[in-house]
Amino acid sequence: MDKKVILKINMVLLSDAILGSGYSIPGEEDIAVCQDENGYPYMKGSSFKGLLKESMENLAAWQQINPGEVEEMTGAADWNGASEGRRIHVTSLKLSDPPYDPEECYERRTFTSLENGVIKKGTLRTAVCIVRGSVFTGELTCAEEDARFISQALMGIKYVGTLRNRGFGHVKLTSEICKKRNPAAEIEATCCLHYRIKTELPVVITDLNRSKGYHYETVGYIPGSAIRGMVMGKLAAGNPSWFQEHKKEALREMYFLDAVPNHEGKTVIP
């Protein structure tokens, strides 16, 4: 079985970028950006793997390497932790140092097509761009023998996202092999606080992924992200100096689980 290594990927935006989700938001954006549950942008691992595969194929042709070797590394199925030879697995790329307010990550842009120097009818489009200078990180698992080739292919990726033909998504990619992790050394003293929320008025949590048009689907619990927002807002308003000093630790090292219904002391699974 081939020995696996982990490459840490670092991607810096040298220009504004649109890491599209493939969806649009009626009345707001014609091109929607991939966002996590807290509103921060990220790049899907599958999208990044597609760009990497293209760069690997170009590099293989340049170095006169059998194209079948690239297929052996990328393949069609995802690596699931079992022995799959040289198959690679890529995580999503997420912001390495997200700001407190997700809105600081974006700028709104409008686009049109010109015909004889005049705006072509029906071509006005709006999009939210991720601002230049943002840094994204992720991990790639591969066979040790392929790490050097893949690192070279990563450097060959110069543009990512939507509207690359217009100069958006210019990036610089670097990678390094992660040192072996000692799981025992990563375990630190932690504590878990159990909380209860009593609703005094009806609460409606909309599930945007299942809502369409004027029809809204709801979920039967309060997402941890909503709890996190409430707690951080109270901390910031109640003790600004403490929050400013401990903001990074609070945002990165505190995790909030979903608040699920509790009837007569019995918790139900949403």
Side-chain angles (χ1 to χ4, degrees):
M1 183 176 69
D2 294 303
K3 182 180 179 181
K4 295 286 185 178
V5 296
I6 297 176
L7 293 177
K8 181 179 179 181
I9 302 170
N10 193 70
M11 182 176 77
V12 182
L13 298 188
L14 303 180
S15 69
D16 291 351
I18 305 175
L19 304 180
S21 64
Y23 301 97
S24 62
I25 302 176
E28 295 187 26
E29 303 163 20
D30 296 300
I31 308 172
V33 171
C34 275
Q35 297 181 359
D36 63 16
E37 61 181 7
N38 297 314
Y40 292 103
Y42 74 96
M43 185 171 192
K44 296 179 182 178
S46 57
S47 299
F48 185 77
K49 187 177 180 181
L51 293 173
L52 175 59
K53 182 177 181 180
E54 182 180 342
S55 182
M56 290 170 65
E57 289 172 342
N58 293 336
L59 182 60
W62 177 262
Q63 297 184 355
Q64 297 183 336
I65 296 175
N66 186 345
E69 294 197 40
V70 174
E71 288 293 331
E72 190 177 348
M73 286 183 268
T74 56
D78 293 329
W79 177 64
N80 61 7
S83 174
E84 293 188 5
R86 301 167 68 183
R87 190 66 51 85
I88 67 174
H89 169 70
V90 184
T91 67
S92 297
L93 301 187
K94 299 181 179 181
L95 284 174
S96 62
D97 189 16
Y100 173 66
D101 184 358
E103 290 300 318
E104 295 180 19
C105 302
Y106 307 106
E107 285 185 358
R108 186 176 294 275
R109 297 287 189 89
T110 57
F111 308 91
T112 59
S113 295
L114 298 179
E115 188 174 44
N116 298 323
V118 180
I119 296 176
K120 191 175 180 180
K121 185 178 180 180
T123 62
L124 180 64
R125 306 174 71 190
T126 61
V128 171
C129 302
I130 306 166
V131 296
R132 172 184 179 181
S134 301
V135 180
F136 292 79
T137 59
E139 292 184 350
L140 182 150
T141 304
C142 66
E144 186 176 34
E145 64 182 278
D146 299 321
R148 185 170 181 273
F149 174 80
I150 293 173
S151 295
Q152 293 175 338
L154 286 168
M155 290 189 292
I157 300 174
K158 301 300 181 184
Y159 288 89
V160 301
T162 309
L163 298 182
R164 284 175 282 165
N165 60 333
R166 295 196 180 190
F168 284 83
H170 187 199
V171 298
K172 179 181 180 181
L173 275 152
T174 56
S175 63
E176 61 179 349
I177 295 179
C178 296
K179 294 181 179 179
K180 290 184 178 180
R181 298 170 179 168
N182 182 358
E186 293 182 356
I187 299 177
E188 300 177 356
T190 60
C191 64
C192 178
L193 299 178
H194 295 270
Y195 62 85
R196 287 196 176 191
I197 298 175
K198 182 179 180 180
T199 58
E200 297 181 350
L201 293 172
V203 177
V204 177
I205 306 295
T206 304
D207 186 345
L208 296 178
N209 292 326
R210 296 189 298 159
S211 300
K212 297 180 180 179
Y214 294 101
H215 176 73
Y216 296 95
E217 292 286 346
T218 61
V219 294
Y221 61 94
I222 303 177
S225 57
I227 304 296
R228 176 179 179 269
M230 290 190 292
V231 173
M232 293 302 164
K234 287 290 186 181
L235 287 173
N239 195 336
S241 58
W242 181 92
F243 184 76
Q244 190 62 32
E245 182 180 353
H246 300 86
K247 180 169 64 175
K248 288 188 176 181
E249 292 83 354
L251 292 175
R252 293 180 181 179
E253 300 177 10
M254 294 173 62
Y255 300 91
F256 294 84
L257 302 182
D258 298 335
V260 297
N262 186 291
H263 298 286
E264 299 179 354
K266 298 180 179 179
T267 301
V268 299
I269 300 176

